[in-house]
Amino acid sequence: MNIGIIGIGVIGKRHIGNLVKRDDVRIAAVCGTNAEKTAGIAAEYGAEPFTDYRLLFERTPLDAVFVCTPPGVRKGPILEAAQRGIACFVEKPPARSVSEAEEIAAIVRESGIVCAVGFMYRYAGAVTMARELIARSGAPVPIVRSVHACAAGLPEAPTPRWLLDKAKSGGPMFDQAIHLIDAARYIAGAQGGEVEAIHAFGANVQRPKSADYTVEDNFVVNLAYARGTVQTHTHSWGVERPRVEIELLGRDYRLTVDLSRLGSRLYGDFRGEEVSAHFPEENMYADEAAAFLEAARSGDTSGIRSSYADAARSLELVVRANESADEGRSIGL
């Protein structure tokens, strides 16, 4: 399969690194904004370099494309792929706004292309196992507590400058919280239904906003699901030691999904039995790409755990979380 990569930052290069280990695909073309950097990466993998994704589509026969651009550059590449019937893997978030996501969802639906979104936590062993256990419980999860804490907002952190501009990146909600909220939806939503209301608070206790730093560095988000599940998500860009977890609390279980490092863990107890599982060999990024490529090859999308339409629901939650924090009110969905 001939693969195109649009966007060759950290996540684009991560996908390239996994794809080149496969013997059934070839990196045919790469596209980036820096011509010299793009040419260097293209030469390394025997690909054609482009700085305009439209030319990439016009000049390169492709079977699938990975769109790994910043969130403001989604619709154009996906539309080009859809017009040519090319399968499209889209990194999260699936769009920059709810309205754009609705437009892209229509493009994907009407074109019939295979499309997956990069919510890689859905492929983590701990998330998969937790989802299976919650399904066994047969009832909504009463309480979900999730947390993502890291040092991305600290002055010395090597965070790309565009991520610190809320107008461009959407801030912590778009960059990271969307992963935890999506994974919680995937685990708990099968029993609890969709989120119906959201209320968020944001603050800048550690690093005041400035011309170069327009994001909130601490958030708390409360979410209410249709069948009674309630979730609190805590997020910080001002904590040196990273912590990425989802805790699920029920009458006869307490489970913690630990995603703080590659190689997820699930621990706790379920109906009187200890749960302790570690998945040190997993590669969520490779697994999500494998599911996408198999769907692109066969047309069977059952292995894709995050369709574009479903990913758009997670996007709406973080958009509304930002709105709630900005406006100081609860928002119904």
Side-chain angles (χ1 to χ4, degrees), residues 2-6 52-69 73-91 104 106-116 292 296 308:
N2 285 334
I3 307 297
I5 308 291
I6 302 174
D52 185 332
Y53 66 80
R54 290 174 289 267
L55 293 179
L56 178 147
F57 283 106
E58 290 174 6
R59 299 179 182 178
T60 312
L62 296 174
D63 298 297
V65 65
F66 282 65
V67 179
C68 306
T69 55
V73 187
R74 290 285 188 266
K75 182 179 175 181
I78 296 170
L79 178 60
E80 293 285 342
Q83 290 173 339
R84 295 167 172 81
I86 297 171
C88 193
F89 182 96
V90 184
E91 261 306 327
I104 295 173
I107 291 168
V108 170
R109 182 176 62 252
E110 292 166 8
S111 68
I113 61 168
V114 170
C115 186
F292 164 69
Y308 193 90

Side-chain angles (χ1 to χ4, degrees), residues 164-221:
L164 306 180
D165 183 342
K166 191 173 181 179
K168 294 179 180 178
S169 70
M173 289 293 99
F174 270 68
D175 186 53
Q176 295 165 331
I178 192 170
H179 275 302
L180 273 293
I181 290 172
D182 178 80
R185 278 189 61 233
Y186 184 65
I187 296 169
Q191 301 296 322
E194 288 293 348
V195 175
E196 289 191 330
I198 192 164
H199 196 174
F201 302 88
N204 289 77
V205 175
Q206 293 158 294
R207 184 174 176 182
K209 288 185 178 181
S210 66
D212 297 323
Y213 190 81
T214 62
V215 299
E216 293 83 5
D217 48 22
N218 293 289
F219 268 98
V220 173
V221 185

